[in-house]
Amino acid sequence: MKKKNYFFLPVSVPLFILFLAFPFMALAFLSLLEISPGPLLQQVLGLSVLQSVVLYLTVLMAGIFNVPVHEFKSRRDSPEKTVPYLGSKYTLPVWHGHNTVVSLNLGGCIVALIAAIYLAAGLPVLPIALSIIAVSLGVFLLSKPSRSIGFYVPMHLPALLAVGISAIALYVSGTGLENLARLSIITGVTGTIVGTTVLNIPRLRKIGTSFISVGGLGCFDGIVLNALVSTIIACVIVSLPM
């Protein structure tokens, strides 16, 4: 039996390189504008520049690794079909399914959830809970099945949902928008994982995929993009004159 490979890029090579280079390009751009990113990141994330970059790169590099945690028998069988040929009917082979391996992506699931828990400290519980529920349901409704990776969402959807819903939640609760990046990262990570995987558990057996990466293939790019977009927006908000 062929040994399964649990080490591979969670996104395309060009996109991974772009993600990898982005923080350095952003820091260089801010340097040219003579803007110090330290106070901004400290205010919106509670992290220094070094801590922010190290955490970001850790998520990216750890995203290459997947930790298998469960394996189950796929229920999807192909129906029996016949095809006519030269006046006779021939039965096509029936595919009886196979085992599906469920793994946790080290970067997009494990490290990202640990970071989300850390960022949640000090934020009110109600906006966090309501935002996670809303983003999870939105991602679930917009997720699409794939025979190769399970369920996935287009890269921009988690960012749009997490940033939009988090901004509304902070406004309604009277919490400052400087917390937008923290809440958006929390809801983006948790909501994307719950929406693509947890809420789709009843349907996973029917797809017939052989490998599912929670927080990896199909949603890793959305999680990373959400973190970048929400942090940039929050930095712009806090830097605007009041």
Side-chain angles (χ1 to χ4, degrees), residues 73-74 76-78 94-98:
K73 181 71 174 179
S74 173
R76 177 164 181 166
D77 295 343
S78 62
V94 176
W95 182 73
H96 293 290
H98 51 259

Side-chain angles (χ1 to χ4, degrees), residues 156-194:
H156 64 282
L157 287 180
L160 291 176
L161 285 172
V163 173
I165 291 173
S166 297
I168 294 172
L170 291 173
Y171 177 78
V172 172
S173 65
T175 308
L177 286 178
E178 65 271 11
N179 293 312
L180 178 63
R182 295 170 63 192
L183 182 57
S184 182
I185 291 173
I186 295 166
T187 57
V189 170
T190 310
T192 302
I193 291 174
V194 172

